[in-house]
Amino acid sequence: MHPSFEKVLVADDDLPWEIVDDKIQRKIMSYTNELMLVKVAFKQGGIGAVHKHPHLQISYVAGGVFEVTIGDQTRKLQDGDVYFVPSNVLHGAVCLEAGLLIDVFNPMREDFV
């Protein structure tokens, strides 16, 4: 298992963005082996492809508008909305208006580091 990052006081400007693709970038803000918080910035049209993972995930829409699909449910979510993804359930998102998601994972996503 990857050693804990455990940043306690995190200034956004101290951490670099990682380019995921031409419409998505992410920033791992802090994590331990049990928990991870990641900011994900989307340009309009960005697609979080349908996928699944064993981690629990809860995401806060900090800006923009997204069409989120979890299992067989699809809904448009915007600023202030939240979605929860159970372990091993297919899910994905399409960014309808540029925005920001705050993703929290349990346990941390080793594949992100």
Side-chain angles (χ1 to χ4, degrees):
M1 183 162 285
H2 194 279
S4 293
F5 186 64
E6 296 183 9
K7 288 243 184 217
V8 178
L9 300 171
V10 183
D12 184 59
D13 290 341
D14 290 345
L15 300 173
W17 286 100
E18 173 191 348
I19 304 302
V20 176
D21 64 30
D22 63 330
K23 294 192 178 198
I24 302 172
Q25 56 185 355
R26 71 178 167 219
K27 189 181 290 197
I28 298 170
M29 301 304 293
S30 189
Y31 64 88
T32 67
N33 291 332
E34 297 81 26
L35 191 65
M36 174 181 269
L37 187 138
V38 180
K39 291 172 63 170
V40 188
F42 285 78
K43 293 180 181 175
Q44 185 174 2
I47 297 173
V50 174
H51 65 288
K52 66 180 180 175
H53 45 72
H55 315 82
L56 296 175
Q57 176 180 343
I58 193 162
S59 298
Y60 173 76
V61 181
V65 178
F66 295 83
E67 182 179 82
V68 178
T69 299
I70 301 170
D72 61 357
Q73 298 181 46
T74 300
R75 186 165 181 183
K76 189 187 306 184
L77 300 176
Q78 58 192 2
D79 296 11
D81 294 338
V82 170
Y83 61 90
F84 173 73
V85 183
S87 181
N88 293 312
V89 172
L90 286 171
H91 61 285
V94 176
C95 182
L96 303 177
E97 293 178 21
L100 182 71
L101 297 178
I102 307 298
D103 294 337
V104 177
F105 299 98
N106 171 259
M108 60 87 78
R109 294 282 305 262
E110 289 186 41
D111 55 320
F112 281 13
V113 296

